[in-house]
Amino acid sequence: MKWKEYYDSKTLSLEEAAKLIKSGDKIVLGSGCGSPESVIDAILARADELKDVEMATMVSASKGAYSKPEYEGKIIHNSYFVAPGTRKAMDE
């Protein structure tokens, strides 16, 4: 098998990758500008199917959509540093 065929056989779409997330899973997001917004959005698109998925980050420069009230009970936001995108959720 050529490398390109092998590589292609190992790749997933965002939607396929998001479907691998199960209730109770813990996800560690990249820090700072390394937050994978498109992956987060794909997971949030199926938030109604999930319960207690923890998204942990050290320092997030993301938009922090996972910390909005509509994800309560579905997505748990765990941050070690409060950033502008998640400050309101942490205050509450």
Side-chain angles (χ1 to χ4, degrees):
M1 177 183 294
K2 295 182 179 183
W3 77 266
K4 178 75 168 119
E5 294 167 348
Y6 179 77
Y7 176 82
D8 288 343
S9 75
K10 301 293 182 183
T11 60
L12 299 172
S13 70
L14 285 173
E15 293 76 20
E16 291 169 321
K19 286 181 183 177
L20 296 174
I21 305 299
K22 302 177 297 305
S23 292
D25 280 354
K26 294 182 181 187
I27 302 166
V28 178
L29 302 172
S31 289
C33 295
S35 294
E37 294 292 340
S38 55
V39 175
I40 294 168
D41 290 343
I43 295 168
L44 295 181
R46 47 180 305 262
D48 288 336
E49 305 167 28
L50 300 169
K51 181 180 178 197
D52 296 333
V53 171
E54 180 180 341
M55 289 196 181
T57 183
M58 179 63 76
V59 177
S60 177
S62 76
K63 53 189 175 183
Y66 47 85
S67 65
K68 292 182 178 176
E70 60 258 37
Y71 298 115
E72 186 173 348
K74 302 168 188 175
I75 307 294
I76 300 167
H77 170 235
N78 187 357
S79 181
Y80 301 100
F81 177 82
V82 180
T86 58
R87 186 164 285 123
K88 184 176 185 306
M90 295 300 287
D91 287 345
E92 293 173 355

